Structure formats: structure tokens, C-alpha cells
């Protein structure tokens, strides 16, 4: 399985943008880049995913490097509720492919 | 918004006893999963289930574990003879046809005494 590398932790001030990086230098052409997050005492929650182009949804934006060896999850205006562990996961999107979680980035939001 | 529900939220069981963890996936979903997370560790895949059979299972999912979809709405994980090391949060997830995101429940905390 292609691996991802994320910083262990990051801090951001409330109401400011947050850029969460992920390196995936061994990504294959069929791997989608998925982001999930896990709030305290909750199950993982889907955030966003993409293949090659940048993606936006109501929660976040995903910026994918042209060579696809890295990506950045962007929270445009962090709130205290965004404090969570964020996981960058590579996944082939067909059938019932499992999710392989790493250690993720623990995001702390400073009021 | 539809959600995956898991019961109970906390289960305390004596070592060696059987335990059944229950999940109600989102109603039109076809793919079902169990994961677990030992305190302070990563979320680990246990098993995936589709079309009434196991699609994939991890090394953790040994003969003591089984899954069932008994009635078309519930999805259960059974551990036949629990061990201390089975203590963890167990998360159920489901996924729809052609829709990549897996939707997770809030988990069952299993404590083995």
C-alpha cells in the first residue's frame, strides 16, 4: 500500500485558515486521496477526496500537487469544532476497499 | 442526515464471555465494515462485508470473531470468548453503491475485565 506522511500535530488560531499537508510520494495512478477526521470521542468522519484536480465542498478544500505526490487539506476558517485528528488516506475507489488509517495530524485550535 | 448507529455505547464484559456489538447502517448502503481502535492507537480495519458475505478480513479478525447481517437492517460483530486485549473502541461503517465515503458510527467502547 502506498503510504502517507503527515505532521504529528499542528496548531491554528480560531477563525484563521488552516493548511494540513500530506506527502504521498509513492502514490499510484489509481489512488484517490481521501481525508477523514476524528473528533474527540467520535468515529472517523469523511471530509473530502480527490484524484487529480482540486476539490471543494462545504467542509474544506483539497489542493493536489500537479505530480500528485503531495496534497493539502484547507480549512478556510477554523472553528473550535474543527479540533480533531485529520487522516490523509490513499484508496483505490472500487468495490469495498478498506480504509487504512495512519496516525494523522492532531489539530489544535487556539481560541 | 442519515447516520450509522451503534449500540451499546459502552459494554463491560468478563474475560471469556461472548459479546455482540450491534450496528444499524444507513438504510440504502450495501457495504459494511468493522474497525477497532485500542486506546491511544490507530484505527484498525477488521472486516468488510458485502452481499451477505465477508469480502476481506484482517489478521486481527480470527476465529473468535464473526459478523452477521441477520435481518437486513442490523449488522453485528460477535466475539466468542473475549480476551483482555479485545478492549477497544469498535466502529461500524457503511458505504453506498458508487459513493466512496464510508460513514462511521460513534462506536462501542468494549471493556474486558
Amino acid at each position: 500500500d502506498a503510504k502517507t506522511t503527515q505532521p504529528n500535530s499542528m496548531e491554528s488560531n480560531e477563525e484563521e485558515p488552516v493548511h494540513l499537508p500530506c506527502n504521498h510520494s509513492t502514490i499510484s495512478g489509481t489512488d484517490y486521496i481521501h481525508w477523514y477526521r476524528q473528533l474527540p470521542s467520535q468515529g472517523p468522519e469523511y471530509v473530502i477526496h480527490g484524484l487529480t484536480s482540486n476539490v471543494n465542498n462545504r467542509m474544506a478544500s483539497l489542493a493536489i500537487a500537479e505530480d500528485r505526490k503531495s496534497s493539502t487539506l484547507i480549512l478556510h476558517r477554523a472553528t473550535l469544532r474543527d479540533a480533531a485528528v485529520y487522516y490523509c488516506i490513499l484508496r483505490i475507489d472500487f468495490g469495498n476497499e478498506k480504509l487504512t488509517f495512519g496516525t494523522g495530524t492532531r489539530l489544535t485550535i487556539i481560541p | 442526515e442519515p447516520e450509522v448507529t451503534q449500540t451499546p455505547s459502552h459494554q463491560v464484559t468478563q474475560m471469556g464471555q461472548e459479546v455482540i456489538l450491534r450496528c444499524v447502517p444507513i438504510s440504502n448502503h450495501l457495504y459494511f465494515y468493522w474497525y477497532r481502535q485500542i486506546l491511544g492507537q490507530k484505527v484498525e480495519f477488521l472486516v468488510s462485508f458485502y452481499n451477505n458475505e465477508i469480502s476481506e478480513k484482517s489478521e486481527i479478525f480470527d476465529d473468535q470473531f464473526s459478523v452477521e447481517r441477520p435481518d437486513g437492517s442490523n449488522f453485528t460483530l460477535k466475539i466468542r470468548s473475549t480476551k483482555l486485549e479485545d478492549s477497544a473502541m469498535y466502529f461500524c461503517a457503511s458505504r453506498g453503491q458508487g459513493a466512496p465515503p464510508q460513514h462511521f458510527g460513534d462506536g462501542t467502547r468494549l471493556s474486558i475485565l
Side-chain angles (χ1 to χ4, degrees), chain A residues 27-33 51 68 90-94:
Chain A
I27 190 170
S28 73
T30 52
D31 284 332
Y32 281 74
I33 302 158
L51 183 62
R68 300 209 326 125
L90 302 183
R91 183 169 175 270
I92 301 169
D93 275 344
F94 70 93

Side-chain angles (χ1 to χ4, degrees), chain A residues 63-74:
Chain A
I64 302 172
E66 199 169 327
D67 62 7
R68 300 209 326 125
K69 293 187 177 181
S70 65
S71 60
T72 302
L73 179 71
I74 302 165

Side-chain angles (χ1 to χ4, degrees), chain A residues 34 36 38 41-44 46 49 58 87 91 93-99 101-103, chain B residues 1 31 33 35 37 42-43 45 48-50 55-56 91 95 100-102 104-107:
Chain A
H34 286 251
Y36 282 74
Q38 188 174 19
S41 302
Q42 294 188 25
Y46 167 77
H49 78 287
R58 63 177 179 81
Y87 301 99
R91 183 169 175 270
D93 275 344
F94 70 93
N96 51 4
E97 186 79 4
K98 64 180 184 281
L99 293 169
F101 289 84
T103 53
Chain B
E1 185 173 325
Y31 301 93
Y33 309 82
Y35 294 81
Q37 187 174 31
K42 299 179 193 178
V43 177
F45 168 77
S48 57
F49 191 86
Y50 171 71
S55 309
E56 185 178 357
F91 295 109
R95 182 194 144 175
Q102 290 183 20
F104 285 78
D106 281 338

Side-chain angles (χ1 to χ4, degrees), chain B residues 11-81:
Chain B
Q11 174 80 46
V12 181
T13 301
Q14 292 288 332
M15 186 173 60
Q17 296 295 306
E18 175 183 285
V19 67
I20 297 175
L21 308 182
R22 302 181 191 279
C23 169
V24 179
I26 294 173
S27 64
N28 60 347
H29 283 188
L30 300 175
Y31 301 93
F32 312 106
Y33 309 82
W34 284 99
Y35 294 81
R36 80 171 187 189
Q37 187 174 31
I38 294 170
L39 187 63
Q41 297 188 22
K42 299 179 193 178
V43 177
E44 301 173 287
F45 168 77
L46 293 178
V47 66
S48 57
F49 191 86
Y50 171 71
N51 201 24
N52 283 320
E53 60 183 29
I54 290 174
S55 309
E56 185 178 357
K57 58 185 180 180
S58 71
E59 290 179 356
I60 303 166
F61 195 90
D62 62 22
D63 291 345
Q64 294 301 311
F65 290 85
S66 62
V67 288
E68 194 177 33
R69 189 157 159 77
D71 56 13
S73 62
N74 291 286
F75 180 50
T76 62
L77 174 69
K78 182 194 292 186
I79 309 175
R80 286 189 188 81
S81 179

Side-chain angles (χ1 to χ4, degrees), chain B residues 4 9 23 53 65 72 75 82 85 89 103-104:
Chain B
V4 175
S9 57
C23 169
E53 60 183 29
F65 290 85
F75 180 50
T82 50
E85 54 264 38
M89 282 291 290
H103 297 258
F104 285 78

